[in-house]
Amino acid sequence: MNVNQHTPMASPYGQPQPGYGQSGYAPLDGGYPAPYAPYNGPGSAYQPGAPPQGYSPFTSFPSKAVPANTVSDLSSPLDLGPSRGPPTSVPPPVSAPQSYNQYSHSQGDIQNGPQPMIPAPQRSAATQPYSQGAMNLSGAQLSYQQHYGPLPTVQQVTNQMTGMQITPGPPTPAGPGYAPPHSSQPPVSTTYSAAPPPSYTQAPPPVSSAPTQSPPLGGPAVSQQYYGGPPPPTQQPFSTSIPPTSQQQATYSAPQPPSSQQTFPPSSYSGSMPPPSQAPAPPVSQPQQSFPSTQPPFSSAPPPVSQPAFISGPPNLAQGSFPPRASLPPSQPGSFPPPGQPPTSTPSAQYPGSMPPQQQPPASHPSAYHSGPPPPRGQMPPTSMSQTTHLPPGPLQQPPSQPGIQGSYPAQQNGAFGQVRGPQPGYPGPYPGQPNYGAPAPSPAPPAQKRLDPDSIPSPIQVIEDDKAKCTEPFTTGIRGQAPPLVTTNFQVKDQGNASPRFIRCTAYNMPCTADMAKQSQVPLAAVIKPLATLPPDETPPYLVDHGEGGPIRCNRCKAYMCPYMQFIEGGRRFQCGFCSCVTEVPPHYFQHLDHTGKRMDCYDRPELSLGSYEFLATVDYCKNNKLPQPPAFIFLIDVSYNAVKSGMVSIVCQELKTLLDFLPRENPELDSVVRVGFVTYNKVLHFYNVKSSLAQPQMLVVSDVSDMFVPLLDGFLVNVNESRLVIESLLDQIPEMFADTRETETVFGPVIQAGLEALKAADCAGKLFVFHTSLPIAEAPGKLKNREDKKLIGTDKEKSLFQPQVSFYNTLAKECVAQGCCVDLFLFPNQYVDVATLGVVPVSTGGSVYKYTYFQAQSDQERFLNDLRRDVQKLVGFDAVMRVRTSTGIRATDFFGSFFMSNTTDVELAGLDCDKAITVEFKHDDKLSEETGALMQCAVLYTSCSGQRRLRIHNMAVNCCSQLADLYRNCETDTIINYLAKYAFRGVLNSPAKTVRDTLVNQSAQILACYRKNCASPSSAGQLILPECMKLLPVYLNCVLKSDVLLPGADVSCDDRAYLRQLISCMDVAETHVFFYPRLLPLTKLESGSLPVAVRDSEERLSKGGVYLLETGLHLFLWVGASVQQELLLSMFGTASFSQIEPSLTSLPVLDNPISQRLREIIDSFRAQRSRYMKLMVVKQEDRAELIFKHFLVEDKSASGGASYVDFLCHMHKEIRQLLS
């Protein structure tokens, strides 16, 4: 049955049918509401207020409803800026459109009227620009840090400046950093009347450098945002303000890396900037970015608060203006706080961070980047796309300044935006006689290279906040191909026939119809599936359906399970499979009449006919050896060698197990758990314990022949906790005493897992081994290892060997464990190299987890270890699981990433599958798909529940198919793409050097963006970086993956750490990879109960000395304290008024009775509750040694290991894209 025909559920669920496993199968508030308006992906939020004409707020799904001038849906132009300037020249922020103000010209950048042509300086680089040619993005020592070419002398700069005339005439079409309009329209509100901008007269580029087209007749086409690049000039302005109905792009124009020669050819470089090949001046600590700042964010004069920054003419109120938005700083809506008053929570008043504050349109309104009708487009029908992100032109893109037709361009309105910059120090303001806002006192230093302003490029924070603002209603899954809210947004899900995004997230909700189209776009087609994900309390867990002895109803041919995509025919006597179209008889007991629409009468009474996720009770046919399974067992295997005892690990584990055994997993909280337990200790030999309930004291049996492992007892090894409680407690008290004086330092590891496996085989059940291990297993035994850590291999072709197991023994052992349903969780407490790459093979292959506590110290690490252990023991887990993903004709699952074992090409086998494990599945075409039917996928997981019941969990997902690339690019999810790319890359290091893997990632991402630019974006100058709206964060997130410790390790990162992270990320879901690669950084100066402060971008420039910030990575929590935090705040948080008295090694906050302390601890607790691993808190004082660790996670900055800053990487990506396009 086609989901598109699926009417919203009108009838509430009726009475539960016999055989339902859950009570509470009750009406849900009288049925489901009609589907909500289509969700718009991570673009900017809807415009409050009446929609502009030509825009219908709820379009039919496939083309997402997009607010007319939002920041971008399909693309965002980005101007990667002209060459870079000194840090001090940043102009004041302008936040929201207001009445026209003549001073807004002093920034001379983007505008609604003619453009001023002064290349004002940009902030100096905290990071240097890329240089073309010398670029080696992924070498171990990246070349971005090098300086290219000498700084210009004052004389050279002066000579360049003399090439500019300040004339009252109209501007030339493009100055560096300004885009000629794509198609623009005269401002509606007022005529342009400010002091005319200077015109630009250096050697102009050839006329042909920007196509001029007239707008297509069919209505306005794609409106794109330019992050500065010159949109192509059009010849005639539109006469009325027509809202863009089709794609809006964000265009960024990247500083073009200089070609090998040190100066730009006339066609590509004009104006008074030094050629980008020079190194920027070292950054002065820039108050402008530091957020919240103690100094005025921008220097001296009060900021002109006139209108969207990139507008230098009057704003076009019909379209470019927007109402103030809730997250503006408190000062006044639409304006930045006056100097001296730092902005509060948002990194910048609107578009937090993605453009300079002056450029940020409020999140919830059409962005200021478009203040006019969309540019003409030839390739696509005007209604096809919505929003793109472009960047303003800079050295990455020399705007065409066409000889002979100066001034013939209509007013710039199409949202091309560059950085509004103050004039260069030492030179007059942009207009004679006008105040020189935003520029510091002139200093005679020669201007350094201008740096792309980090605020002018897409901001993750802005996208996250926009998505939160847009998500006001529950997400209903009944609409095929609808992209869900981002993982960073809290939302409620209503299942109406597709699986919740908590179970399945896709990289693309519009799949390409053909393999050729998929190959052309290079967008990975994948789904991240988390079959047993925990749902929030306000969502119903999947219903359990019992079809009796016959078992679940399935398609005869492809064996897909009954689901909402099956179409009943012949009055309900047969059904046609939605996956393979085969027709199957309906068993008599399952027959039901059809209503007038062809649906079964009991459709809404049966979860499998109306919901996306549900469970079937499996019959004996689905069990191993055709007999129902035994309840599972947990075996605890504790290392009692010298290191383990001395670190305190043994006594901590034994003490904790006494209480933890009361919390073994169970389906029904009222009943006792049926899970049985057993205990083993080991060093060079193994000690088994008989804890039979009839014994007065536990008995120890020692197996010293580790080369041929066996279990010396059957009866009394695996017991029920309640029956043997006294014996178990006695044993746990005795173990630390027995081994307190041990001198044995050597351990074994292989035989330990073999022992657990043999015990489960003997008991004929599945189960889990909890292994607590401390050192490299060097004792003589199967699986013995040697220390092979060799840092010299890093960066060479042999580097991959560090990630591969050093012996094949563990691969074979893993295969045996999977066959028995024996899952292994490994807790490591190493003080030196333990070869995680090899020890982790069994846990990773069996669906288990590895936890690592390097240099474990009882005092500081106990809390983290015990929380991890408690969660690991208590969480719901399935055993002996097999997962298969079926798809409709046209695509098939071809590749899988995660913690599992595969003995054939289709079945993912997991000895254990818990609620935290995600599996990423890649799809490839094997035929054509059709737009009408879409593409279907069904994930079926057969597993044994912790109560010993055999079950099938089914998740169904339908996505749209498209024959236009534009539709594909409109409906992607960047966070899921990054999850796939990271797993793909981290698997790649097993077979290729890390540098090769990094190059592959950059190349694939450049192809994705180049294909978009070539086929979907409207024509514009090559200097513009044009990004699809839903992928405008691809460069920043991709850079985080490239800089990760696995692909680009710093000198202090051990081989074990890299192997550990590689294994850990392989089974993460989308929310976990998101916060891991782009950590969450919260300013804590103003804590209000109920709401979290808005995060700031991960860059040192955003930190203020007077602030306190909480950084969360999913594995760590850091509390960074600035050196000049107010005493009251320090007293509230730490109980001391002096910065110097805060202990640098604090790992927990004092419990103080004041609202700030309580709120801060609540936030920390809520962050920890969201993650699968306990995050240890580390207090970091500014200028302290530990700050280096903290700065490692400020991922928008350069990394110590040579990773590029976001700004530099964006320039590099632009260069790669241009090379592909040329």
Side-chain angles (χ1 to χ4, degrees):
M1 169 190 139
N2 183 336
V3 179
N4 276 346
Q5 303 158 356
H6 201 127
T7 49
M9 304 200 169
S11 69
Y13 281 140
Q15 294 305 308
Q17 301 254 327
Y20 275 47
Q22 286 200 6
S23 53
Y25 193 52
L28 299 177
D29 304 328
Y32 284 29
Y36 290 89
Y39 165 67
N40 257 353
S44 24
Y46 290 81
Q47 175 173 358
Q53 70 261 50
Y55 159 60
S56 121
F58 303 105
T59 46
S60 64
F61 195 74
S63 52
K64 294 165 93 173
V66 176
N69 289 3
T70 35
V71 175
S72 37
D73 172 70
L74 255 153
S75 18
S76 319
L78 205 44
D79 189 9
L80 294 189
S83 31
R84 322 187 160 197
T88 46
S89 58
V90 186
V94 179
S95 341
Q98 294 179 357
S99 58
Y100 172 65
N101 167 343
Q102 58 167 353
Y103 292 128
S104 57
H105 288 293
S106 57
Q107 279 81 338
D109 245 43
I110 309 292
Q111 54 184 24
N112 274 349
Q115 295 148 253
M117 289 307 142
I118 277 203
Q122 274 196 317
R123 311 215 14 232
S124 101
T127 50
Q128 277 83 17
Y130 280 77
S131 134
Q132 192 167 332
M135 209 43 252
N136 153 12
L137 181 74
S138 45
Q141 38 332 307
L142 284 96
S143 41
Y144 338 121
Q145 303 101 308
Q146 301 157 14
H147 297 255
Y148 300 105
L151 285 163
T153 60
V154 179
Q155 184 59 43
Q156 286 169 328
V157 173
T158 317
N159 293 348
Q160 283 175 340
M161 290 297 271
T162 54
M164 298 182 45
Q165 302 168 354
I166 295 187
T167 66
T172 49
Y178 319 113
H182 263 263
S183 68
S184 43
Q185 82 199 46
V188 182
S189 48
T190 46
T191 51
Y192 178 85
S193 61
S199 67
Y200 194 65
T201 60
Q202 238 186 344
V207 181
S208 58
S209 58
T212 60
Q213 313 113 315
S214 46
L217 299 174
V222 199
S223 126
Q224 318 192 133
Q225 275 158 231
Y226 291 82
Y227 289 53
T234 45
Q235 268 155 354
Q236 71 251 46
F238 285 110
S239 53
T240 50
S241 62
I242 315 168
T245 43
S246 53
Q247 138 203 9
Q248 300 169 321
Q249 321 197 125
T251 312
Y252 311 105
S253 304
Q256 181 153 293
S259 28
S260 49
Q261 61 294 45
Q262 292 295 330
T263 54
F264 277 136
S267 62
S268 64
Y269 170 69
S270 38
S272 68
M273 331 153 253
S277 47
Q278 286 133 220
V284 183
S285 64
Q286 292 121 324
Q288 179 246 355
Q289 298 273 69
S290 66
F291 189 78
S293 79
T294 40
Q295 311 97 306
F298 300 93
S299 49
S300 64
V305 208
S306 47
Q307 62 203 68
F310 358 99
I311 300 177
S312 270
N316 163 356
L317 296 175
Q319 239 170 290
S321 60
F322 17 48
R325 123 181 179 155
S327 69
L328 290 178
S331 48
Q332 65 255 54
S335 79
F336 233 67
Q341 176 186 335
T344 46
S345 54
T346 22
S348 50
Q350 327 66 309
Y351 212 68
S354 114
M355 314 164 262
Q358 356 28 315
Q359 274 155 259
Q360 320 235 20
S364 40
H365 325 297
S367 74
Y369 330 124
H370 321 285
S371 271
R377 264 223 36 224
Q379 304 92 308
M380 291 172 37
T383 47
S384 55
M385 309 209 46
S386 32
Q387 302 162 293
T388 329
T389 318
H390 313 233
L391 289 180
L396 268 202
Q397 111 196 17
Q398 284 51 41
S401 103
Q402 304 197 353
I405 47 171
Q406 290 194 348
S408 62
Y409 291 86
Q412 164 70 45
Q413 268 187 301
N414 199 30
F417 61 95
Q419 302 68 264
V420 181
R421 311 179 199 88
Q424 307 219 4
Y427 291 98
Y431 301 96
Q434 286 204 350
N436 185 351
Y437 282 133
S443 71
Q449 188 142 313
K450 293 183 189 136
R451 168 179 179 229
L452 178 61
D453 187 331
D455 281 328
S456 65
I457 55 184
S459 157
I461 306 302
Q462 180 65 38
V463 171
I464 288 167
E465 289 304 312
D466 287 352
D467 192 69
K468 286 178 181 170
K470 214 162 36 182
C471 182
T472 53
E473 294 167 318
F475 174 75
T476 53
T477 68
I479 302 171
R480 186 179 82 191
Q482 182 175 8
L486 298 182
V487 284
T488 43
T489 300
N490 279 328
F491 58 98
Q492 189 188 5
V493 179
K494 295 220 165 133
D495 185 339
Q496 294 189 353
N498 276 319
S500 158
R502 305 192 203 288
F503 295 124
I504 303 186
R505 276 186 180 265
C506 299
T507 54
Y509 288 85
N510 262 345
M511 285 220 173
C513 283
T514 64
D516 290 345
M517 187 174 159
K519 188 176 176 185
Q520 185 184 359
S521 73
Q522 288 286 310
V523 173
L525 303 177
V528 179
I529 305 176
K530 198 174 179 184
L532 300 185
T534 330
L535 298 181
D538 59 351
E539 293 177 22
T540 317
Y543 291 102
L544 180 62
V545 179
D546 184 357
H547 280 320
E549 308 234 329
I553 314 294
R554 303 177 69 175
C555 165
N556 270 347
R557 182 196 292 159
C558 71
K559 303 296 181 205
Y561 293 87
M562 179 54 66
C563 67
Y565 315 137
M566 303 297 190
Q567 187 73 45
F568 286 86
I569 53 176
E570 296 179 20
R573 286 188 295 278
R574 305 168 83 187
F575 68 88
Q576 182 169 20
C577 175
F579 296 89
C580 68
S581 305
C582 171
V583 173
T584 302
E585 295 283 334
V586 172
H589 70 89
Y590 197 69
F591 174 78
Q592 178 60 267
H593 293 286
L594 307 185
D595 66 12
H596 64 286
T597 64
K599 276 207 174 125
R600 282 173 56 120
M601 306 288 278
D602 62 355
C603 175
Y604 295 110
D605 298 331
R606 289 190 176 273
E608 72 274 22
L609 300 181
S610 54
L611 297 179
S613 302
Y614 42 87
E615 293 197 316
F616 289 121
L617 199 56
T619 56
V620 74
D621 305 335
Y622 292 86
C623 302
K624 206 182 274 181
N625 306 327
N626 285 349
K627 60 179 190 190
L628 292 172
Q630 297 287 328
F634 282 3
I635 303 177
F636 298 90
L637 304 112
I638 306 165
D639 176 347
V640 288
S641 65
Y642 178 81
N643 284 342
V645 174
K646 281 291 167 279
S647 68
M649 181 271 280
V650 175
S651 56
I652 291 172
V653 170
C654 292
Q655 194 54 39
E656 178 63 24
L657 285 177
K658 287 198 273 189
T659 50
L660 192 52
L661 294 178
D662 288 331
F663 298 97
L664 295 174
R666 64 203 73 198
E667 300 276 327
N668 183 343
E670 308 300 309
L671 304 175
D672 289 338
S673 174
V674 294
V675 175
R676 292 170 296 164
V677 297
F679 301 89
V680 174
T681 56
Y682 66 94
N683 40 43
K684 275 200 323 198
V685 298
L686 277 79
H687 322 106
F688 292 79
Y689 296 93
N690 182 349
V691 283
K692 200 171 175 182
S693 54
S694 55
L695 296 175
Q697 281 293 318
Q699 292 174 346
M700 177 202 272
L701 294 95
V702 179
V703 176
S704 52
D705 180 6
V706 290
S707 58
D708 183 17
M709 185 44 62
F710 66 98
V711 178
L713 75 162
L714 292 180
D715 192 24
F717 179 65
L718 293 179
V719 297
N720 178 293
V721 175
N722 284 342
E723 290 171 9
S724 299
R725 180 175 303 279
L726 293 173
V727 192
I728 291 173
E729 289 194 354
S730 167
L731 169 67
L732 293 173
D733 284 334
Q734 288 175 41
I735 288 175
E737 295 167 13
M738 268 191 291
F739 298 100
D741 301 322
T742 183
R743 284 282 167 267
E744 185 54 72
T745 55
E746 293 188 356
T747 56
V748 295
F749 185 70
V752 178
I753 293 174
Q754 284 176 325
L757 172 61
E758 292 301 324
L760 293 177
K761 279 183 181 171
D764 193 24
C765 67
K768 189 182 255 197
L769 311 184
F770 296 84
V771 183
F772 303 91
H773 188 80
T774 58
S775 55
L776 191 69
I778 53 174
E780 214 40 67
K784 171 186 172 180
L785 301 178
K786 60 180 191 292
N787 187 336
R788 55 163 182 167
E789 184 171 36
D790 185 358
K791 288 276 184 85
K792 292 197 287 294
L793 297 181
I794 293 175
T796 69
D797 284 352
K798 291 186 176 171
E799 181 177 9
K800 60 190 178 193
S801 66
L802 298 174
F803 293 107
Q804 297 164 349
Q806 56 172 291
V807 292
S808 60
F809 170 82
Y810 291 101
N811 299 74
T812 314
L813 181 55
K815 190 174 175 181
E816 292 174 31
C817 287
V818 171
Q820 181 56 40
C822 167
C823 173
V824 179
D825 279 354
L826 175 58
F827 292 81
L828 284 171
F829 304 86
N831 290 335
Q832 58 215 6
Y833 179 72
V834 289
D835 200 352
V836 176
T838 307
L839 298 188
V841 166
V842 177
V844 166
S845 307
T846 57
S849 308
V850 179
Y851 297 85
K852 183 162 163 284
Y853 309 90
T854 311
Y855 306 122
F856 177 79
Q857 289 178 315
Q859 189 185 351
S860 58
D861 297 305
Q862 176 170 353
E863 185 185 21
R864 175 172 150 236
F865 163 55
L866 289 181
N867 276 284
D868 283 343
L869 177 59
R870 285 169 195 149
R871 184 182 156 89
D872 198 55
V873 168
Q874 295 175 39
K875 65 187 173 189
L876 284 178
V877 58
F879 295 96
D880 226 345
V882 182
M883 176 176 116
R884 181 174 280 194
V885 178
R886 293 178 172 83
T887 50
S888 53
T889 311
I891 53 166
R892 61 195 169 88
T894 56
D895 208 349
F896 301 85
F897 303 84
S899 292
F900 52 76
F901 178 80
M902 291 187 80
S903 52
N904 57 35
T905 56
T906 54
D907 294 341
V908 173
E909 299 175 49
L910 303 114
L913 173 62
D914 62 51
C915 55
D916 298 326
K917 294 287 182 298
I919 290 137
T920 299
V921 184
E922 185 181 9
F923 300 100
K924 289 263 191 330
H925 287 76
D926 54 10
D927 203 346
K928 285 188 177 160
L929 293 165
S930 89
E931 294 190 58
E932 291 73 56
T933 54
L936 310 178
M937 57 189 89
Q938 182 179 77
C939 164
V941 182
L942 175 65
Y943 70 100
T944 303
S945 73
C946 50
S947 57
Q949 210 174 39
R950 200 71 175 148
R951 296 183 181 172
L952 280 153
R953 178 165 289 203
I954 311 295
H955 296 298
N956 301 293
M957 188 73 179
V959 297
N960 283 338
C961 294
C962 57
S963 52
Q964 296 294 321
L965 282 166
D967 294 327
L968 164 65
Y969 281 102
R970 184 179 309 102
N971 225 358
C972 291
E973 192 181 47
T974 302
D975 292 320
T976 313
I977 292 175
I978 289 294
N979 178 285
Y980 166 83
L981 290 176
K983 291 180 181 181
Y984 175 78
F986 286 11
R987 187 174 69 185
V989 295
L990 290 173
N991 307 309
S992 311
K995 178 187 182 319
T996 311
V997 174
R998 290 196 306 269
D999 290 345
T1000 306
L1001 278 188
V1002 172
N1003 188 34
Q1004 179 170 0
S1005 304
Q1007 284 183 305
I1008 293 172
L1009 299 174
C1011 172
Y1012 172 77
R1013 171 68 187 260
K1014 182 176 171 188
N1015 299 288
C1016 309
S1018 49
S1020 61
S1021 136
Q1024 277 169 321
L1025 170 59
I1026 302 185
L1027 303 172
E1029 170 60 15
C1030 65
M1031 287 190 200
K1032 66 183 178 189
L1033 298 180
L1034 185 65
V1036 62
Y1037 291 160
L1038 178 71
N1039 189 33
C1040 298
V1041 175
L1042 296 171
K1043 289 174 11 175
S1044 64
D1045 289 336
V1046 177
L1047 295 182
L1048 193 66
D1052 55 339
V1053 180
S1054 69
C1055 296
D1056 274 348
D1057 286 330
R1058 297 177 72 195
Y1060 170 68
L1061 288 174
R1062 195 190 76 75
Q1063 293 168 357
L1064 187 60
I1065 284 151
S1066 70
C1067 54
M1068 279 186 176
D1069 69 1
V1070 181
E1072 290 170 319
T1073 51
H1074 177 273
V1075 76
F1076 178 82
F1077 289 117
Y1078 194 90
R1080 172 157 59 160
L1081 181 61
L1082 291 192
L1084 300 177
T1085 355
K1086 295 203 170 122
L1087 285 179
E1088 291 148 17
S1089 58
S1091 65
L1092 280 177
V1094 175
V1096 297
R1097 292 169 65 173
D1098 292 342
S1099 169
E1100 198 176 345
E1101 309 187 316
R1102 311 280 164 175
L1103 303 177
S1104 143
K1105 278 188 165 184
V1108 178
Y1109 298 82
L1110 184 66
L1111 180 96
E1112 180 210 9
T1113 72
L1115 301 178
H1116 311 93
L1117 278 174
F1118 296 95
L1119 190 67
W1120 185 89
V1121 187
S1124 40
V1125 178
Q1126 292 178 341
Q1127 290 190 346
E1128 302 88 86
L1129 194 58
L1130 291 179
L1131 266 173
S1132 307
M1133 289 181 177
F1134 302 100
T1136 171
S1138 153
F1139 176 77
S1140 57
Q1141 286 176 348
I1142 299 172
E1143 284 181 50
S1145 56
L1146 265 184
T1147 55
S1148 62
L1149 293 175
V1151 178
L1152 304 173
D1153 189 16
N1154 67 66
I1156 289 183
S1157 173
Q1158 286 166 356
R1159 180 65 185 134
L1160 176 53
R1161 284 179 287 112
E1162 276 169 20
I1163 290 175
I1164 289 172
D1165 290 343
S1166 74
F1167 280 13
R1168 284 173 171 160
Q1170 289 167 29
R1171 306 294 169 207
S1172 59
R1173 292 177 182 236
Y1174 186 85
M1175 297 181 290
K1176 177 177 163 182
L1177 178 70
M1178 184 169 170
V1179 175
V1180 176
K1181 293 163 68 177
Q1182 187 174 3
E1183 307 294 334
D1184 194 53
R1185 256 185 339 174
E1187 205 182 24
L1188 281 175
I1189 305 172
F1190 171 77
K1191 285 181 179 174
H1192 178 70
F1193 297 103
L1194 298 178
V1195 291
E1196 289 198 21
D1197 298 338
K1198 261 199 182 121
S1199 69
S1201 55
S1205 68
Y1206 175 22
V1207 168
D1208 287 351
F1209 183 69
L1210 199 57
C1211 301
H1212 178 71
M1213 280 301 286
H1214 189 191
K1215 189 186 97 180
E1216 293 283 325
I1217 292 167
R1218 294 184 61 172
Q1219 283 176 348
L1220 288 172
L1221 292 175
S1222 60

